[in-house]
Structure formats: C-alpha cells, structure tokens
Amino acid sequence: MELYLWNVRVSAAFGEVIALAEVILRNAMAEQLAAAYGATWYAKAELFDDRTISGFRTTWRNITMPIDPATGKPGEKSLRTVPAGKLVGESSFGCWVNLLDKGGTRGDGPFRRRVDYDSTLWRKALFKAFPNGGGKRATVFTTASRVRLLRNRAAHHEPLINGVPLTGQVRRGRTQRLSLPDAHNELLQLVDYIDQDIATWLRQTSRVPGLLQTRP
C-alpha cells in the first residue's frame, strides 16, 4: 500500500510540471505557426498529414459554442467565431508532438502524397519555438515523444514504479524503459529548449526529485 501511495504522489508531482510544460510548448509552437502561416494556420490542410488533420478535426468537433440568446441554440461554429486560442488550448498534447515529427502522408490511392514537416513546418516556423534546441527537429521530437509517454502514463494512473516504457524500443526481447530521474530530466529539457529561465525555475520548484528519494 505504501508503494501504491508513493506512485500516486509521484504521478501527481510529475503532472504539475507536465501541465506547465504543455502550455509552454503549445503556446510557443502556435505563435510561430501563426507568424508563418496566418492566424488560422490550423485550417490550411495542405500543410498537414492525415494524422494531424484528424487531430485538429477531433478538436474542432469537441468545441462547444455558447448558446445564442436569440435562437436558444449553440452559435455558429466557424473560423470567424472560434478564437484561435480556443483550438490551440483544446488540441491534445499528442497533436502538438506530431507536428514535430517528420510528417506522414495525406490522402489515399492516386491522391496519396508525402508531407514533409522538416522542410515546411520546422524550417519555416517551428525551429524558432525552440531557440535552445540546436536547430534539430529530430532532437526536439525525441524529447517531446518521451514526455508524451510520461504524460500519458501519469494521466492514466499507470504504474511509474519501474519507469516509463519506451514504445518500439526493444533490446534482447525487452522493452527499454526510461528511469524516473531521466524522465524528469527529459521533461525539463523540453522546457529548456523553449525557455531556459522557466526550465531553471521548474528545476528549483519541482517536487519530483524529493519524492523519488522517499520511495518505500
């Protein structure tokens, strides 16, 4: 029981840092995408692969509009009436991490096309969101992907006792795991890529290191 309660506390402590990191990440990325492609950049389907389009479509579908007093029904949902910040704030963490990937495909059959995020989203906009990332998309994506694994595990109340399984990374028949100290470092590193001052503050205030030292 003590180990279970410790796991709950560690998950909650990670959640505090993850919540701030997520807001910092999406705001930095959205700012640069808007500067490069306009305020409604998320509506430019030609920029994205099917995975990203599906993510934004789901976000759009889940946005609820306030009731129009004149009709008693939800107001019109359009690019004009939905603030960009609404879609940015309600898009999943995974959606933002996917924008840092190399890109997939859009369409199917004879209309299937490869979408190269490296030469479009990254080089024209997103590299500016990570001034301390060394200019390498793959580096930022790897860190963000590991943070996503940590986030999902903590949010779904899955055990963190043995670290964070790294999906797809298998050695000698066993899935590789990220230790909790390393997972905490990856989380702070992601923030550091964006803003070193905030990363320093989080490193000083995070409850995670102290809790890791109290494992039963």
mmCIF file of all heavy atoms in Angstrom, residues 108-152:
data_model
loop_
_atom_site.group_PDB
_atom_site.id
_atom_site.type_symbol
_atom_site.label_atom_id
_atom_site.label_comp_id
_atom_site.label_asym_id
_atom_site.label_seq_id
_atom_site.Cartn_x
_atom_site.Cartn_y
_atom_site.Cartn_z
ATOM 1 N N ASP A 108 -5.340 9.233 -50.124
ATOM 2 C CA ASP A 108 -5.092 7.821 -50.402
ATOM 3 C C ASP A 108 -5.232 7.559 -51.905
ATOM 4 O O ASP A 108 -5.618 8.432 -52.674
ATOM 5 C CB ASP A 108 -6.029 6.917 -49.597
ATOM 6 C CG ASP A 108 -7.500 7.279 -49.779
ATOM 7 O OD1 ASP A 108 -7.842 7.905 -50.811
ATOM 8 O OD2 ASP A 108 -8.300 6.936 -48.910
ATOM 9 N N GLY A 109 -4.918 6.332 -52.279
ATOM 10 C CA GLY A 109 -4.987 5.978 -53.691
ATOM 11 C C GLY A 109 -4.098 6.883 -54.528
ATOM 12 O O GLY A 109 -2.981 7.225 -54.131
ATOM 13 N N PRO A 110 -4.580 7.308 -55.692
ATOM 14 C CA PRO A 110 -3.762 8.171 -56.570
ATOM 15 C C PRO A 110 -3.553 9.568 -55.990
ATOM 16 O O PRO A 110 -2.748 10.343 -56.511
ATOM 17 C CB PRO A 110 -4.587 8.229 -57.862
ATOM 18 C CG PRO A 110 -5.998 7.992 -57.418
ATOM 19 C CD PRO A 110 -5.897 7.006 -56.286
ATOM 20 N N PHE A 111 -4.270 9.897 -54.911
ATOM 21 C CA PHE A 111 -4.164 11.217 -54.300
ATOM 22 C C PHE A 111 -3.222 11.227 -53.093
ATOM 23 O O PHE A 111 -3.055 12.249 -52.444
ATOM 24 C CB PHE A 111 -5.550 11.709 -53.873
ATOM 25 C CG PHE A 111 -6.563 11.660 -54.969
ATOM 26 C CD1 PHE A 111 -7.551 10.669 -54.978
ATOM 27 C CD2 PHE A 111 -6.516 12.568 -56.014
ATOM 28 C CE1 PHE A 111 -8.477 10.604 -56.000
ATOM 29 C CE2 PHE A 111 -7.453 12.510 -57.044
ATOM 30 C CZ PHE A 111 -8.433 11.524 -57.040
ATOM 31 N N ARG A 112 -2.630 10.096 -52.800
ATOM 32 C CA ARG A 112 -1.741 9.984 -51.646
ATOM 33 C C ARG A 112 -0.454 10.769 -51.895
ATOM 34 O O ARG A 112 0.211 10.603 -52.910
ATOM 35 C CB ARG A 112 -1.420 8.509 -51.394
ATOM 36 C CG ARG A 112 -0.634 8.229 -50.123
ATOM 37 C CD ARG A 112 -0.387 6.722 -50.011
ATOM 38 N NE ARG A 112 0.342 6.359 -48.833
ATOM 39 C CZ ARG A 112 -0.200 6.100 -47.655
ATOM 40 N NH1 ARG A 112 -1.521 6.171 -47.524
ATOM 41 N NH2 ARG A 112 0.539 5.756 -46.625
ATOM 42 N N ARG A 113 -0.120 11.629 -50.960
ATOM 43 C CA ARG A 113 1.068 12.461 -51.082
ATOM 44 C C ARG A 113 1.860 12.449 -49.780
ATOM 45 O O ARG A 113 1.294 12.386 -48.695
ATOM 46 C CB ARG A 113 0.687 13.918 -51.409
ATOM 47 C CG ARG A 113 0.030 14.111 -52.746
ATOM 48 C CD ARG A 113 1.003 13.898 -53.895
ATOM 49 N NE ARG A 113 0.378 14.164 -55.187
ATOM 50 C CZ ARG A 113 -0.289 13.266 -55.891
ATOM 51 N NH1 ARG A 113 -0.445 12.032 -55.410
ATOM 52 N NH2 ARG A 113 -0.811 13.591 -57.062
ATOM 53 N N ARG A 114 3.176 12.513 -49.902
ATOM 54 C CA ARG A 114 4.042 12.598 -48.743
ATOM 55 C C ARG A 114 4.065 14.035 -48.243
ATOM 56 O O ARG A 114 4.170 14.988 -49.041
ATOM 57 C CB ARG A 114 5.465 12.168 -49.117
ATOM 58 C CG ARG A 114 6.442 12.104 -47.945
ATOM 59 C CD ARG A 114 6.185 10.889 -47.095
ATOM 60 N NE ARG A 114 6.920 10.982 -45.825
ATOM 61 C CZ ARG A 114 6.775 10.110 -44.849
ATOM 62 N NH1 ARG A 114 5.931 9.101 -44.965
ATOM 63 N NH2 ARG A 114 7.453 10.237 -43.733
ATOM 64 N N VAL A 115 3.978 14.231 -46.948
ATOM 65 C CA VAL A 115 4.019 15.562 -46.347
ATOM 66 C C VAL A 115 5.310 15.663 -45.533
ATOM 67 O O VAL A 115 5.531 14.886 -44.609
ATOM 68 C CB VAL A 115 2.799 15.809 -45.438
ATOM 69 C CG1 VAL A 115 2.864 17.203 -44.829
ATOM 70 C CG2 VAL A 115 1.500 15.628 -46.227
ATOM 71 N N ASP A 116 6.153 16.601 -45.891
ATOM 72 C CA ASP A 116 7.466 16.743 -45.274
ATOM 73 C C ASP A 116 7.458 17.908 -44.283
ATOM 74 O O ASP A 116 7.603 19.066 -44.662
ATOM 75 C CB ASP A 116 8.529 16.971 -46.355
ATOM 76 C CG ASP A 116 9.929 17.087 -45.787
ATOM 77 O OD1 ASP A 116 10.105 16.835 -44.580
ATOM 78 O OD2 ASP A 116 10.849 17.427 -46.555
ATOM 79 N N TYR A 117 7.299 17.605 -43.005
ATOM 80 C CA TYR A 117 7.269 18.651 -41.989
ATOM 81 C C TYR A 117 8.636 19.304 -41.799
ATOM 82 O O TYR A 117 8.728 20.450 -41.359
ATOM 83 C CB TYR A 117 6.804 18.073 -40.656
ATOM 84 C CG TYR A 117 5.325 17.811 -40.557
ATOM 85 C CD1 TYR A 117 4.778 17.185 -39.433
ATOM 86 C CD2 TYR A 117 4.448 18.188 -41.567
ATOM 87 C CE1 TYR A 117 3.425 16.942 -39.325
ATOM 88 C CE2 TYR A 117 3.087 17.952 -41.472
ATOM 89 C CZ TYR A 117 2.579 17.323 -40.333
ATOM 90 O OH TYR A 117 1.234 17.081 -40.221
ATOM 91 N N ASP A 118 9.685 18.572 -42.106
ATOM 92 C CA ASP A 118 11.032 19.109 -41.907
ATOM 93 C C ASP A 118 11.264 20.354 -42.759
ATOM 94 O O ASP A 118 11.808 21.363 -42.287
ATOM 95 C CB ASP A 118 12.068 18.038 -42.251
ATOM 96 C CG ASP A 118 13.305 18.116 -41.375
ATOM 97 O OD1 ASP A 118 13.310 18.929 -40.427
ATOM 98 O OD2 ASP A 118 14.258 17.355 -41.615
ATOM 99 N N SER A 119 10.835 20.283 -44.013
ATOM 100 C CA SER A 119 11.095 21.398 -44.937
ATOM 101 C C SER A 119 10.004 22.471 -44.903
ATOM 102 O O SER A 119 10.191 23.547 -45.477
ATOM 103 C CB SER A 119 11.244 20.875 -46.372
ATOM 104 O OG SER A 119 10.037 20.277 -46.802
ATOM 105 N N THR A 120 8.903 22.179 -44.243
ATOM 106 C CA THR A 120 7.829 23.179 -44.177
ATOM 107 C C THR A 120 7.654 23.694 -42.748
ATOM 108 O O THR A 120 8.189 24.743 -42.392
ATOM 109 C CB THR A 120 6.499 22.587 -44.684
ATOM 110 O OG1 THR A 120 6.198 21.373 -43.960
ATOM 111 C CG2 THR A 120 6.577 22.276 -46.159
ATOM 112 N N LEU A 121 6.945 22.972 -41.924
ATOM 113 C CA LEU A 121 6.634 23.463 -40.580
ATOM 114 C C LEU A 121 7.884 23.779 -39.770
ATOM 115 O O LEU A 121 7.958 24.822 -39.108
ATOM 116 C CB LEU A 121 5.783 22.427 -39.830
ATOM 117 C CG LEU A 121 4.456 22.025 -40.461
ATOM 118 C CD1 LEU A 121 3.689 21.104 -39.529
ATOM 119 C CD2 LEU A 121 3.619 23.244 -40.819
ATOM 120 N N TRP A 122 8.871 22.875 -39.813
ATOM 121 C CA TRP A 122 10.051 23.081 -38.972
ATOM 122 C C TRP A 122 10.907 24.237 -39.480
ATOM 123 O O TRP A 122 11.178 25.193 -38.746
ATOM 124 C CB TRP A 122 10.872 21.799 -38.885
ATOM 125 C CG TRP A 122 12.112 21.983 -38.060
ATOM 126 C CD1 TRP A 122 13.384 22.147 -38.493
ATOM 127 C CD2 TRP A 122 12.175 22.054 -36.625
ATOM 128 N NE1 TRP A 122 14.252 22.322 -37.431
ATOM 129 C CE2 TRP A 122 13.536 22.274 -36.268
ATOM 130 C CE3 TRP A 122 11.223 21.976 -35.602
ATOM 131 C CZ2 TRP A 122 13.956 22.389 -34.950
ATOM 132 C CZ3 TRP A 122 11.641 22.098 -34.273
ATOM 133 C CH2 TRP A 122 12.989 22.306 -33.966
ATOM 134 N N ARG A 123 11.339 24.168 -40.725
ATOM 135 C CA ARG A 123 12.290 25.174 -41.227
ATOM 136 C C ARG A 123 11.671 26.556 -41.410
ATOM 137 O O ARG A 123 12.379 27.566 -41.357
ATOM 138 C CB ARG A 123 12.902 24.695 -42.540
ATOM 139 C CG ARG A 123 13.743 23.442 -42.380
ATOM 140 C CD ARG A 123 14.389 23.023 -43.683
ATOM 141 N NE ARG A 123 15.059 21.738 -43.549
ATOM 142 C CZ ARG A 123 15.667 21.109 -44.540
ATOM 143 N NH1 ARG A 123 15.717 21.651 -45.753
ATOM 144 N NH2 ARG A 123 16.242 19.932 -44.340
ATOM 145 N N LYS A 124 10.358 26.595 -41.622
ATOM 146 C CA LYS A 124 9.708 27.892 -41.842
ATOM 147 C C LYS A 124 9.125 28.495 -40.579
ATOM 148 O O LYS A 124 8.799 29.684 -40.564
ATOM 149 C CB LYS A 124 8.619 27.750 -42.904
ATOM 150 C CG LYS A 124 9.156 27.418 -44.287
ATOM 151 C CD LYS A 124 8.043 27.361 -45.317
ATOM 152 C CE LYS A 124 8.597 27.053 -46.706
ATOM 153 N NZ LYS A 124 7.528 26.995 -47.737
ATOM 154 N N ALA A 125 8.975 27.669 -39.527
ATOM 155 C CA ALA A 125 8.315 28.207 -38.341
ATOM 156 C C ALA A 125 8.795 27.602 -37.029
ATOM 157 O O ALA A 125 9.271 28.317 -36.143
ATOM 158 C CB ALA A 125 6.796 27.999 -38.470
ATOM 159 N N LEU A 126 8.678 26.290 -36.870
ATOM 160 C CA LEU A 126 8.799 25.694 -35.546
ATOM 161 C C LEU A 126 10.191 25.739 -34.937
ATOM 162 O O LEU A 126 10.317 25.720 -33.702
ATOM 163 C CB LEU A 126 8.285 24.254 -35.582
ATOM 164 C CG LEU A 126 6.769 24.127 -35.797
ATOM 165 C CD1 LEU A 126 6.358 22.669 -35.836
ATOM 166 C CD2 LEU A 126 6.006 24.877 -34.715
ATOM 167 N N PHE A 127 11.223 25.815 -35.750
ATOM 168 C CA PHE A 127 12.563 25.878 -35.159
ATOM 169 C C PHE A 127 12.713 27.119 -34.280
ATOM 170 O O PHE A 127 13.488 27.133 -33.310
ATOM 171 C CB PHE A 127 13.643 25.846 -36.254
ATOM 172 C CG PHE A 127 13.904 27.162 -36.921
ATOM 173 C CD1 PHE A 127 14.920 27.995 -36.474
ATOM 174 C CD2 PHE A 127 13.125 27.575 -37.995
ATOM 175 C CE1 PHE A 127 15.159 29.219 -37.095
ATOM 176 C CE2 PHE A 127 13.363 28.792 -38.621
ATOM 177 C CZ PHE A 127 14.382 29.618 -38.166
ATOM 178 N N LYS A 128 11.950 28.169 -34.588
ATOM 179 C CA LYS A 128 12.013 29.404 -33.811
ATOM 180 C C LYS A 128 11.372 29.246 -32.429
ATOM 181 O O LYS A 128 11.655 30.034 -31.522
ATOM 182 C CB LYS A 128 11.313 30.535 -34.564
ATOM 183 C CG LYS A 128 11.968 30.900 -35.882
ATOM 184 C CD LYS A 128 11.182 31.996 -36.582
ATOM 185 C CE LYS A 128 11.786 32.320 -37.949
ATOM 186 N NZ LYS A 128 10.990 33.353 -38.662
ATOM 187 N N ALA A 129 10.518 28.233 -32.283
ATOM 188 C CA ALA A 129 9.876 27.991 -30.989
ATOM 189 C C ALA A 129 10.825 27.321 -30.002
ATOM 190 O O ALA A 129 10.563 27.294 -28.801
ATOM 191 C CB ALA A 129 8.629 27.123 -31.175
ATOM 192 N N PHE A 130 11.939 26.796 -30.527
ATOM 193 C CA PHE A 130 12.899 26.069 -29.696
ATOM 194 C C PHE A 130 14.302 26.654 -29.901
ATOM 195 O O PHE A 130 15.183 26.006 -30.463
ATOM 196 C CB PHE A 130 12.880 24.589 -30.063
ATOM 197 C CG PHE A 130 11.521 23.954 -29.958
ATOM 198 C CD1 PHE A 130 10.681 23.893 -31.064
ATOM 199 C CD2 PHE A 130 11.075 23.450 -28.746
ATOM 200 C CE1 PHE A 130 9.426 23.324 -30.968
ATOM 201 C CE2 PHE A 130 9.812 22.884 -28.643
ATOM 202 C CZ PHE A 130 8.986 22.820 -29.752
ATOM 203 N N PRO A 131 14.522 27.887 -29.450
ATOM 204 C CA PRO A 131 15.797 28.560 -29.703
ATOM 205 C C PRO A 131 17.001 27.872 -29.066
ATOM 206 O O PRO A 131 18.135 28.117 -29.477
ATOM 207 C CB PRO A 131 15.573 29.956 -29.103
ATOM 208 C CG PRO A 131 14.485 29.775 -28.094
ATOM 209 C CD PRO A 131 13.593 28.731 -28.675
ATOM 210 N N ASN A 132 16.744 27.005 -28.098
ATOM 211 C CA ASN A 132 17.842 26.320 -27.415
ATOM 212 C C ASN A 132 17.891 24.841 -27.775
ATOM 213 O O ASN A 132 18.516 24.048 -27.070
ATOM 214 C CB ASN A 132 17.692 26.484 -25.897
ATOM 215 C CG ASN A 132 17.477 27.932 -25.495
ATOM 216 O OD1 ASN A 132 18.225 28.813 -25.913
ATOM 217 N ND2 ASN A 132 16.446 28.197 -24.714
ATOM 218 N N GLY A 133 17.237 24.482 -28.882
ATOM 219 C CA GLY A 133 17.167 23.080 -29.286
ATOM 220 C C GLY A 133 18.221 22.659 -30.286
ATOM 221 O O GLY A 133 18.180 21.531 -30.787
ATOM 222 N N GLY A 134 19.157 23.543 -30.594
ATOM 223 C CA GLY A 134 20.211 23.197 -31.524
ATOM 224 C C GLY A 134 19.778 23.162 -32.969
ATOM 225 O O GLY A 134 20.547 22.745 -33.847
ATOM 226 N N GLY A 135 18.540 23.577 -33.244
ATOM 227 C CA GLY A 135 18.059 23.632 -34.621
ATOM 228 C C GLY A 135 17.711 22.294 -35.231
ATOM 229 O O GLY A 135 17.437 22.215 -36.429
ATOM 230 N N LYS A 136 17.715 21.234 -34.424
ATOM 231 C CA LYS A 136 17.468 19.894 -34.957
ATOM 232 C C LYS A 136 16.078 19.398 -34.564
ATOM 233 O O LYS A 136 15.801 19.156 -33.391
ATOM 234 C CB LYS A 136 18.530 18.920 -34.459
ATOM 235 C CG LYS A 136 19.928 19.266 -34.954
ATOM 236 C CD LYS A 136 20.949 18.249 -34.480
ATOM 237 C CE LYS A 136 22.340 18.572 -35.008
ATOM 238 N NZ LYS A 136 23.362 17.586 -34.550
ATOM 239 N N ARG A 137 15.218 19.254 -35.565
ATOM 240 C CA ARG A 137 13.855 18.791 -35.320
ATOM 241 C C ARG A 137 13.833 17.432 -34.643
ATOM 242 O O ARG A 137 13.067 17.199 -33.691
ATOM 243 C CB ARG A 137 13.085 18.726 -36.648
ATOM 244 C CG ARG A 137 11.646 18.225 -36.506
ATOM 245 C CD ARG A 137 11.098 17.741 -37.833
ATOM 246 N NE ARG A 137 11.927 16.705 -38.423
ATOM 247 C CZ ARG A 137 11.946 15.431 -37.998
ATOM 248 N NH1 ARG A 137 11.193 15.044 -36.989
ATOM 249 N NH2 ARG A 137 12.730 14.554 -38.601
ATOM 250 N N ALA A 138 14.654 16.496 -35.122
ATOM 251 C CA ALA A 138 14.640 15.134 -34.586
ATOM 252 C C ALA A 138 14.971 15.107 -33.096
ATOM 253 O O ALA A 138 14.419 14.301 -32.337
ATOM 254 C CB ALA A 138 15.620 14.249 -35.364
ATOM 255 N N THR A 139 15.869 15.989 -32.667
ATOM 256 C CA THR A 139 16.241 16.049 -31.251
ATOM 257 C C THR A 139 15.064 16.494 -30.406
ATOM 258 O O THR A 139 14.751 15.881 -29.375
ATOM 259 C CB THR A 139 17.425 17.026 -31.060
ATOM 260 O OG1 THR A 139 18.549 16.553 -31.794
ATOM 261 C CG2 THR A 139 17.792 17.157 -29.586
ATOM 262 N N VAL A 140 14.402 17.554 -30.849
ATOM 263 C CA VAL A 140 13.243 18.071 -30.107
ATOM 264 C C VAL A 140 12.116 17.045 -30.121
ATOM 265 O O VAL A 140 11.457 16.811 -29.095
ATOM 266 C CB VAL A 140 12.768 19.405 -30.709
ATOM 267 C CG1 VAL A 140 11.507 19.898 -29.999
ATOM 268 C CG2 VAL A 140 13.877 20.457 -30.626
ATOM 269 N N PHE A 141 11.901 16.409 -31.264
ATOM 270 C CA PHE A 141 10.825 15.418 -31.369
ATOM 271 C C PHE A 141 11.062 14.237 -30.436
ATOM 272 O O PHE A 141 10.125 13.750 -29.786
ATOM 273 C CB PHE A 141 10.705 14.926 -32.803
ATOM 274 C CG PHE A 141 9.728 13.797 -32.980
ATOM 275 C CD1 PHE A 141 8.371 13.989 -32.768
ATOM 276 C CD2 PHE A 141 10.167 12.521 -33.340
ATOM 277 C CE1 PHE A 141 7.463 12.942 -32.908
ATOM 278 C CE2 PHE A 141 9.274 11.476 -33.483
ATOM 279 C CZ PHE A 141 7.918 11.684 -33.266
ATOM 280 N N THR A 142 12.290 13.756 -30.351
ATOM 281 C CA THR A 142 12.592 12.625 -29.467
ATOM 282 C C THR A 142 12.277 12.966 -28.020
ATOM 283 O O THR A 142 11.647 12.175 -27.300
ATOM 284 C CB THR A 142 14.072 12.218 -29.598
ATOM 285 O OG1 THR A 142 14.317 11.762 -30.929
ATOM 286 C CG2 THR A 142 14.427 11.108 -28.617
ATOM 287 N N THR A 143 12.694 14.142 -27.588
ATOM 288 C CA THR A 143 12.423 14.563 -26.219
ATOM 289 C C THR A 143 10.919 14.719 -25.981
ATOM 290 O O THR A 143 10.381 14.240 -24.972
ATOM 291 C CB THR A 143 13.136 15.894 -25.911
ATOM 292 O OG1 THR A 143 14.538 15.723 -26.100
ATOM 293 C CG2 THR A 143 12.875 16.340 -24.484
ATOM 294 N N ALA A 144 10.240 15.376 -26.911
ATOM 295 C CA ALA A 144 8.793 15.587 -26.774
ATOM 296 C C ALA A 144 8.042 14.258 -26.764
ATOM 297 O O ALA A 144 7.058 14.094 -26.032
ATOM 298 C CB ALA A 144 8.284 16.472 -27.908
ATOM 299 N N SER A 145 8.491 13.297 -27.548
ATOM 300 C CA SER A 145 7.834 11.989 -27.601
ATOM 301 C C SER A 145 7.967 11.262 -26.270
ATOM 302 O O SER A 145 7.030 10.598 -25.803
ATOM 303 C CB SER A 145 8.444 11.134 -28.719
ATOM 304 O OG SER A 145 8.178 11.699 -29.983
ATOM 305 N N ARG A 146 9.129 11.376 -25.651
ATOM 306 C CA ARG A 146 9.329 10.737 -24.350
ATOM 307 C C ARG A 146 8.474 11.400 -23.280
ATOM 308 O O ARG A 146 7.932 10.728 -22.403
ATOM 309 C CB ARG A 146 10.810 10.773 -23.983
ATOM 310 C CG ARG A 146 11.655 9.844 -24.854
ATOM 311 C CD ARG A 146 13.117 9.863 -24.478
ATOM 312 N NE ARG A 146 13.852 8.850 -25.222
ATOM 313 C CZ ARG A 146 15.142 8.617 -25.084
ATOM 314 N NH1 ARG A 146 15.858 9.347 -24.244
ATOM 315 N NH2 ARG A 146 15.728 7.659 -25.797
ATOM 316 N N VAL A 147 8.347 12.716 -23.372
ATOM 317 C CA VAL A 147 7.481 13.431 -22.432
ATOM 318 C C VAL A 147 6.027 13.010 -22.635
ATOM 319 O O VAL A 147 5.275 12.859 -21.669
ATOM 320 C CB VAL A 147 7.637 14.958 -22.598
ATOM 321 C CG1 VAL A 147 6.576 15.699 -21.792
ATOM 322 C CG2 VAL A 147 9.037 15.389 -22.167
ATOM 323 N N ARG A 148 5.632 12.793 -23.879
ATOM 324 C CA ARG A 148 4.263 12.327 -24.137
ATOM 325 C C ARG A 148 4.021 10.967 -23.492
ATOM 326 O O ARG A 148 2.958 10.733 -22.893
ATOM 327 C CB ARG A 148 3.991 12.245 -25.640
ATOM 328 C CG ARG A 148 2.642 11.594 -25.959
ATOM 329 C CD ARG A 148 2.218 11.769 -27.399
ATOM 330 N NE ARG A 148 3.194 11.299 -28.351
ATOM 331 C CZ ARG A 148 3.007 11.328 -29.669
ATOM 332 N NH1 ARG A 148 1.884 11.826 -30.175
ATOM 333 N NH2 ARG A 148 3.937 10.891 -30.496
ATOM 334 N N LEU A 149 4.980 10.053 -23.591
ATOM 335 C CA LEU A 149 4.840 8.743 -22.962
ATOM 336 C C LEU A 149 4.695 8.891 -21.452
ATOM 337 O O LEU A 149 3.861 8.223 -20.821
ATOM 338 C CB LEU A 149 6.041 7.854 -23.299
ATOM 339 C CG LEU A 149 6.173 7.415 -24.760
ATOM 340 C CD1 LEU A 149 7.508 6.699 -24.974
ATOM 341 C CD2 LEU A 149 5.017 6.500 -25.156
ATOM 342 N N LEU A 150 5.500 9.757 -20.867
ATOM 343 C CA LEU A 150 5.416 10.016 -19.432
ATOM 344 C C LEU A 150 4.066 10.612 -19.077
ATOM 345 O O LEU A 150 3.412 10.173 -18.109
ATOM 346 C CB LEU A 150 6.538 10.971 -19.021
ATOM 347 C CG LEU A 150 6.450 11.580 -17.622
ATOM 348 C CD1 LEU A 150 6.591 10.490 -16.562
ATOM 349 C CD2 LEU A 150 7.528 12.656 -17.444
ATOM 350 N N ARG A 151 3.651 11.600 -19.841
ATOM 351 C CA ARG A 151 2.379 12.269 -19.577
ATOM 352 C C ARG A 151 1.214 11.289 -19.610
ATOM 353 O O ARG A 151 0.362 11.285 -18.716
ATOM 354 C CB ARG A 151 2.148 13.376 -20.615
ATOM 355 C CG ARG A 151 0.823 14.100 -20.487
ATOM 356 C CD ARG A 151 0.516 14.907 -21.734
ATOM 357 N NE ARG A 151 -0.726 15.637 -21.609
ATOM 358 C CZ ARG A 151 -1.930 15.113 -21.800
ATOM 359 N NH1 ARG A 151 -2.056 13.816 -22.111
ATOM 360 N NH2 ARG A 151 -3.018 15.860 -21.673
ATOM 361 N N ASN A 152 1.160 10.474 -20.644
ATOM 362 C CA ASN A 152 0.048 9.540 -20.793
ATOM 363 C C ASN A 152 0.038 8.519 -19.662
ATOM 364 O O ASN A 152 -1.022 8.142 -19.155
ATOM 365 C CB ASN A 152 0.126 8.836 -22.144
ATOM 366 C CG ASN A 152 -0.185 9.775 -23.296
ATOM 367 O OD1 ASN A 152 -0.695 10.880 -23.091
ATOM 368 N ND2 ASN A 152 0.135 9.360 -24.509
#
